[in-house]
């Protein structure tokens, strides 16, 4: 079992541990992925995100109700659920793109609240990938990746460029570095968006349906990139309807409905033996296709 | 340019029915006006004899010749490539325009004599006033636009009042108010600064709306992405939003600047020695009004053309990420 290597941070890979996963740039077929999702993230690992009794209202509409969720370092969590169940709302609360009204959210040891002055500290450490990529269209791919480190972390230009190229290589599009986002395909754009977030070297990555705006043949290239990230031990919270991905990569699958967490469990249990009727219905609908 | 289809369209001006219709219209128009007394009539003397005595025959002949020249010209231009077409049409319109001014019998020596002073004093002042106003107006506009988009009621109200007031009052009135009204409050400013102030405030109010619309045209996702990476408000505005809003902002901004350049002539009521003021004062004593006014107009035109060139340069610069 390769459990020890998997939860190593990004930097450890360059050290070239011979017993490692091999070439991290290549995703192995699904069957071999089964094994690595079985390993446990120990309960003692640092809590990256801790949400307790979080509730959120849009006006009078209650979008989240008493949500409890802890994400530990190295954990990979997949959130699924029907449309409008509050999945996006929840993960957008984690980097405070949305404000919650009740309960507590602590990210990387910093409590999120209305009056906080150090929200940048949180956002620096939380990467986010959006459904519609949201690349900066007036900047080249390379500049998209360099902007964050240069402007927020005061990294010198040369170093930012090196990091950017490293991560562009990581998502396997180094040759597109000098193009503008409109000149890329959807899948390539999404991979640039992932590289852009990685350049900030975040403690956790949030994905909000990263593949649902893509054509079917581009979905796999993005999923492969995400899978290889997961292999390297990146902490991830991922809203997705790609159940194959959830099965292969997730440590925990969380099912939401009507703003609540209805069920959560290991992917094997979740998919083969769901407890709640709502989950069964959802799974039967989504797996039928 | 509009998004062109890949199928080549037929050339309209080479279709017989179009040429015939064009010919008929031009002929009819020139039959209605009597050109026998003009330079053109003189040119036709070999054909129609003494122009004034030629009567109906002369008028028809002149109209016919003009119509033929017109149609041949247009058909020929139809054969030229795009760039040449643009150039030729421009030059022809310009020539027509100047031949029209010849009819005024302007005294060229008078113009040449006064032109240097008109430029060194008038143009320089006009450019100075306009350029300073342009910069001030842009600064005011960006601040007011952000205030108008902010959730701060105080800032919003001030900005809203400002745009409403300065877009609503005639510019001339604003100039008077600032030059004559402010001294009542104990603030005395010279003519040039008050002119600049009035222009900046007025143009700034128009530009506020342009900036606001430009900023609002940017997708929310850009804000979200910037915020999720930890960019603050100022950084997001400066590096992400404004650069993308500029292609939307620049064309109306060019418009506003060009109209401001000409509105700066209103400052002449304060006795500022800018272009319009000088054109009037130089022309008056010798009754060469038209000479000076036409010269001043042409100078305004040239200055506007420079702004137009600047605008298209900027558009090209900021539009580069749009090319596929
Ligand atoms: N800005 C908003 N104002 C008001 N209501 C909102 C807003 N954003 C989301 N909602 C509501 O909150 C609920 C949860 O929305 P959310 O976007 O989190 O759903 P989701 O689970 O991500 O759905 P999907 O799978 O379609 O993306 C929905 O019922 C939605 O109508
Ligand atoms: Mg969503």
């Amino acid at each position: 079992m390769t459990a020890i290597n998997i939860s190593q941070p990004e930097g450890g890979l360059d050290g070239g541990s011979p017993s490692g996963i091999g070439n991290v740039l290549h995703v192995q077929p699904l069957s071999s992925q089964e094994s690595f999702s079985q390993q446990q993230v120990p309960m003692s690992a640092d809590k990256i995100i801790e949400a307790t009794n979080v509730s959120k209202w849009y006006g009078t509409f209650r979008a989240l109700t008493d949500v409890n969720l802890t994400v530990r370092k190295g954990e990979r969590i997949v959130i699924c659920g029907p449309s409008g169940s509050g999945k996006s709302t929840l993960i957008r609360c984690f980097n405070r793109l949305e404000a919650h009204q009740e309960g507590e959210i602590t990210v990387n040891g910093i409590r999120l609240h209305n009056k906080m002055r150090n929200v940048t500290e949180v956002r620096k450490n939380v990467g986010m990938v959006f459904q519609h990529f949201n690349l900066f269209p007036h900047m080249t791919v390379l500049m998209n990746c360099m902007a964050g480190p240069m402007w927020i972390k005061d990294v010198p230009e040369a170093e930012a460029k090196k990091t950017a190229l490293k991560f562009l290589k990581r998502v396997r599009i180094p040759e597109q570095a000098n193009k503008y986002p409109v000149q890329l395909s959807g899948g390539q754009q999404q991979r640039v968006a992932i590289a852009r977030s990685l350049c900030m070297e975040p403690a956790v990555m949030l994905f909000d349906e990263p593949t649902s705006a893509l054509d079917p043949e581009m979905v796999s290239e993005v999923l492969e990139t995400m899978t290889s990230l997961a292999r390297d031990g990146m902490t991830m919270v991922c809203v997705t309807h790609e159940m194959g991905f959830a099965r292969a990569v997730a440590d925990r699958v969380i099912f939401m409905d009507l703003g609540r967490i209805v069920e959560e469990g290991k992917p094997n249990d979740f998919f083969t033996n769901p407890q709640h009727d709502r989950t069964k219905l959802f799974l039967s609908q989504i797996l039928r296709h | 340019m509009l998004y062109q289809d890949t199928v080549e369209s037929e050339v309209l001006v080479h279709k017989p029915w179009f040429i015939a219709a064009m010919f008929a219209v031009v002929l009819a128009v020139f039959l209605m006006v009597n050109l026998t007394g003009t330079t053109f009539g003189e040119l036709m003397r070999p054909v129609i004899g003494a122009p004034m005595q030629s009567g109906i025959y002369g008028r028809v002949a002149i109209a016919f010749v003009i119509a033929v020249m017109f149609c041949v010209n247009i058909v020929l231009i139809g054969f030229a490539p795009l760039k040449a077409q643009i150039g030729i049409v421009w030059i022809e319109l310009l020539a027509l325009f100047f031949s029209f001014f010849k009819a005024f019998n302007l005294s060229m020596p008078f113009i040449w004599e006064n032109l240097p002073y008109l430029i060194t004093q008038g143009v320089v002042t006009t450019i100075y006033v306009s350029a300073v106003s342009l910069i001030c107006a842009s600064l005011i506009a960006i601040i007011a636009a952000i205030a108008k988009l902010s959730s701060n009621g105080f800032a919003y109200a001030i900005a809203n009042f400002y745009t409403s007031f300065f877009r609503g009052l005639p510019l001339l009135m604003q100039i008077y108010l600032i030059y004559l009204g402010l001294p009542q409050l104990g603030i005395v400013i010279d003519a040039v600064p008050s002119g600049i102030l009035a222009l900046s405030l007025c143009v700034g109010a128009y530009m506020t709306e342009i900036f606001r619309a430009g900023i609002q045209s940017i997708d929310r996702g850009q804000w979200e992405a910037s915020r999720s990476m930890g960019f603050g408000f100022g950084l997001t505005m400066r590096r992400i939003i404004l650069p993308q809003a500029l292609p939307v902002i620049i064309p109306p901004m060019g418009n506003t600047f060009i109209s401001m350049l000409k509105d700066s002539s209103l400052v002449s009521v304060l006795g500022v020695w800018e272009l319009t003021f000088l054109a009037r004062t130089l022309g008056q004593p010798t009754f060469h009004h038209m000479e000076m006014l036409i010269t001043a107009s042409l100078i305004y035109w040239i200055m506007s053309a420079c702004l137009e060139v600047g605008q298209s340069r900027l558009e090209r610069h900021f539009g580069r990420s749009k090319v596929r």
Side-chain angles (χ1 to χ4, degrees), chain A residues 73-94:
Chain A
K73 190 167 166 48
E75 246 187 328
R76 296 161 292 256
I77 291 179
V78 166
I79 302 179
C80 59
S83 182
S85 56
K87 308 175 299 282
S88 302
T89 307
L90 179 63
I91 67 166
R92 287 159 62 89
C93 282
F94 292 158

Side-chain angles (χ1 to χ4, degrees), chain A residues 15-128:
Chain A
S17 55
S19 64
I21 318 158
N23 187 353
V24 291
L25 299 185
H26 289 292
V27 176
Q28 289 155 25
L30 268 181
S31 57
S32 67
Q33 287 170 3
E34 292 288 344
S35 61
F36 89 93
S37 70
Q38 303 303 324
Q39 52 92 30
Q40 275 279 330
V41 172
M43 285 303 282
S44 59
D46 297 341
K47 292 173 182 171
I48 304 277
I49 298 174
E50 187 171 25
T52 40
N53 293 325
V54 171
S55 293
K56 158 152 192 79
W57 284 262
Y58 286 112
T60 56
F61 174 78
R62 190 165 192 175
L64 294 178
T65 309
D66 292 328
V67 174
N68 287 289
L69 180 65
T70 303
V71 183
R72 289 173 190 280
K73 190 167 166 48
E75 246 187 328
R76 296 161 292 256
I77 291 179
V78 166
I79 302 179
C80 59
S83 182
S85 56
K87 308 175 299 282
S88 302
T89 307
L90 179 63
I91 67 166
R92 287 159 62 89
C93 282
F94 292 158
N95 61 355
R96 206 149 173 98
L97 282 185
E98 301 284 357
H100 61 284
Q101 278 84 37
E102 272 179 19
E104 287 213 353
I105 301 179
T106 309
V107 176
N108 241 353
I110 304 176
R111 197 170 71 85
L112 304 183
H113 57 92
N114 282 339
K115 302 233 154 59
M116 64 194 302
R117 290 284 161 264
N118 53 350
V119 68
T120 306
E121 283 308 308
V122 172
R123 289 176 178 160
K124 266 204 285 204
N125 285 311
V126 181
M128 187 162 207

Side-chain angles (χ1 to χ4, degrees), chain B residues 178-302:
Chain B
I178 286 173
Y179 188 58
L180 304 175
L182 282 187
Q184 308 281 329
L185 305 175
I187 308 166
V188 183
I189 23 182
D190 282 344
V192 173
S194 22
I196 290 176
L197 188 60
L199 273 177
S200 310
L201 287 172
C202 179
V203 175
Y206 285 103
M207 295 231 314
T208 300
E209 291 301 296
I210 295 172
F211 272 90
R212 186 181 59 78
I215 292 170
Q216 274 183 319
S217 73
I218 303 304
D219 181 43
R220 242 172 67 112
Q222 294 292 310
W223 285 99
E224 289 180 352
S226 310
R227 208 165 282 168
S228 78
M229 291 174 72
F231 299 172
F233 176 81
L235 188 62
T236 307
M237 205 62 178
R238 222 173 50 242
R239 307 306 274 278
I240 307 296
I241 303 297
L242 281 183
Q244 290 182 62
L246 278 178
V248 187
I249 289 175
I250 288 168
M253 201 161 83
N255 246 353
T256 315
F257 284 158
I258 286 173
S259 83
M260 183 190 73
L261 182 75
K262 288 168 297 168
D263 286 346
S264 72
S265 62
L266 285 177
V267 178
S268 62
V269 297
L270 305 183
V272 176
W273 287 29
E274 49 72 73
L275 191 50
T276 305
F277 182 85
L278 279 187
R280 262 193 310 200
T281 42
L282 287 177
Q284 234 146 24
T286 45
F287 297 104
H288 283 111
H289 292 295
M290 274 327 261
E291 277 84 351
M292 284 295 96
L293 290 183
I294 287 174
T295 311
S297 308
L298 288 182
I299 295 176
Y300 274 118
W301 189 8
I302 291 168

